[in-house]
Amino acid sequence: MVHKKTITAASLVQDGHPMATQAVLADFAWKRDSTGSETQTMYFHLENGCVGFVQIAWVFLTLKATIETNAMFFVPGHPCVFETHNGHNLKVAKDSLDYECKGLQMSWNKDHSRLSVKYTAGRERKASGVAASFEFVRKSDGYKIGDGKNYIGEGTAAHYFYPAGEVTAQGEINGAKFESKGSAMFIHAHSANIMPYNVGAEWNMIFFVGHPESMPKDKRNAESASTYHVLQYETPESYGSVHCSNAGLTQENKLKAVLWDTAVEHHEMTKDENGSGYDIPKHIVFTSTGKTVDGKKARVVFDARPTQRLHDIDVLHEMPFVIRRLVQALITKPFVFERYEENAKVRVEIEGEEPYVLEGVAFHELTLMK
């Protein structure tokens, strides 16, 4: 039964106005203004094969803020490393350009064209933990759908994107030092006046990096890469089971299209073998529609098979005790399933152009809170 409404940012855009607008510096500033959650996250694909993310998360539920660092690093042929740690105290500069907690520092320059990230949370806890540093150079404007905010009951949930950039990284994973470069994107997520578990019952997120299949392999590198990302979620049944979508396509580190309507189809459902109790898909089809930055109709289809397991996150297990008891009373089992796909192929259709296929790799994240 629907008790409260969801009104999407896309549905509020008036006829004749652009569906997507440029995200500005203020959109990426920390808010920390009410009950809810907030994250600043960089996702990356490196040329040495390493895939992952680093994140600072802030949650305010029970008269107290909780800070966490979350990070995942996966190098094909090696075990995936996922680390989550108590960040203790979040320090944010007045201009929100610099912020840090225990084990993770992020620092922007004044125009947000460059971001420095230093992750030490794993190494600070144990000698075998991960330590890594990144330099992200933004190559494209940010974007948001409408004003970025979806209205869910009395609360809001917003996402702002820097969809394209080059990243250089160095660090140590599984005892092996590395240095590489690649492609990255950055997302600021913020919910206000709503419990995080009421924002979405199901989340589908992907970050694909690849090249036209016609491009010779010796010409493929971070500078010539294309990316396709999706962040789509369905609000809980009590809020109407409404789909909220954000997606973007980049080409050679420039934003090519913003896609505000994404349909996600789950197929070949199988019982999770790792004890979550959920059925999860082995086959997912993403179909995103929108427009290019110069106004042409655009459609992207990703027929995905995210069969390589990276890590499954039992969200309750990772939460502090007080928050865990509160959430457990309202949600059966919140789980995050992280997967990797090699030989991924994405079909791109642009009005007035010949369709083409990108081939590459994809990081998948499915979150279920039911």
Side-chain angles (χ1 to χ4, degrees), residues 54-340:
V54 289
Q55 178 187 79
I56 297 178
W58 175 93
V59 181
F60 188 83
L61 296 182
T62 55
L63 303 179
K64 181 181 179 181
T66 299
I67 313 300
E68 285 188 349
T69 62
N70 300 302
M72 191 208 75
F73 301 85
F74 171 66
V75 178
H78 299 274
C80 178
V81 176
F82 174 79
E83 299 179 339
T84 184
H85 297 291
N86 188 337
H88 294 285
N89 183 39
L90 178 60
K91 300 177 182 178
V92 181
K94 288 184 179 180
D95 56 10
S96 224
L97 293 177
D98 301 285
Y99 38 92
E100 65 177 294
C101 61
K102 182 175 174 59
L104 182 54
Q105 301 174 9
M106 295 186 177
S107 180
W108 290 97
N109 64 353
K110 288 186 177 181
D111 65 356
H112 273 208
S113 62
R114 183 179 295 269
L115 171 69
S116 297
V117 178
K118 185 177 182 181
Y119 177 78
T120 58
R123 182 59 51 82
E124 290 176 8
R125 270 73 174 188
K126 58 182 181 180
S128 60
V130 175
S133 60
F134 303 85
E135 290 290 329
F136 170 71
V137 180
R138 180 170 62 86
K139 295 293 186 178
S140 176
D141 289 335
Y143 81 86
K144 55 191 175 184
I145 305 300
D147 69 354
K149 295 179 181 178
N150 297 304
Y151 293 81
I152 304 170
E154 302 301 320
T156 60
H159 292 87
Y160 308 99
F161 297 79
Y162 285 138
E166 296 175 5
V167 66
T168 55
Q170 58 183 358
E172 187 172 342
I173 305 172
N174 297 315
K177 293 184 178 180
F178 74 93
E179 185 170 347
S180 188
K181 63 179 181 177
S183 301
M185 72 170 176
F186 189 90
I187 302 175
H188 177 212
H190 171 248
S191 66
N193 298 313
I194 186 170
M195 294 295 192
Y197 46 79
N198 281 332
V199 174
E202 177 181 304
W203 298 70
N204 292 274
M205 184 270 175
I206 55 171
F207 182 36
F208 165 91
V209 175
H211 296 82
E213 61 179 357
S214 60
M215 179 181 288
K217 287 185 167 51
D218 61 355
K219 301 293 184 182
R220 301 180 184 185
N221 52 42
E223 292 80 7
S224 62
S226 294
T227 72
Y228 168 57
H229 68 265
V230 171
L231 196 160
Q232 187 250 34
Y233 60 93
E234 180 184 353
T235 60
E237 184 179 358
S238 58
Y239 290 85
S241 300
V242 175
H243 291 101
C244 304
S245 299
N246 304 266
L249 176 71
T250 75
Q251 180 177 310
E252 296 180 347
N253 283 314
K254 300 296 183 184
L255 182 62
K256 186 174 181 66
V258 176
L259 312 156
W260 51 84
D261 186 5
T262 297
V264 181
E265 303 170 35
H266 289 184
H267 301 285
E268 298 179 30
M269 307 300 290
T270 58
K271 184 69 68 176
D272 174 36
E273 299 175 352
N274 298 293
S276 71
Y278 282 113
D279 291 333
I280 55 177
K282 288 187 175 180
H283 178 202
I284 308 176
V285 180
F286 299 85
T287 304
S288 300
T289 56
K291 287 188 176 182
T292 62
V293 293
D294 58 355
K296 298 177 182 178
K297 293 181 181 179
R299 182 173 183 264
V300 179
V301 180
F302 182 16
D303 193 334
R305 292 192 172 273
T307 55
Q308 185 169 350
R309 177 178 179 265
L310 299 181
H311 188 76
D312 295 343
I313 305 170
D314 181 344
V315 178
L316 289 178
H317 178 74
E318 303 293 350
M319 284 181 171
F321 176 76
V322 174
I323 297 177
R324 180 166 68 246
R325 292 299 297 272
L326 173 64
V327 174
Q328 196 168 24
L330 300 166
I331 302 176
T332 305
K333 289 182 179 179
F335 263 82
V336 181
F337 303 93
E338 295 178 332
R339 299 293 185 265
Y340 178 74

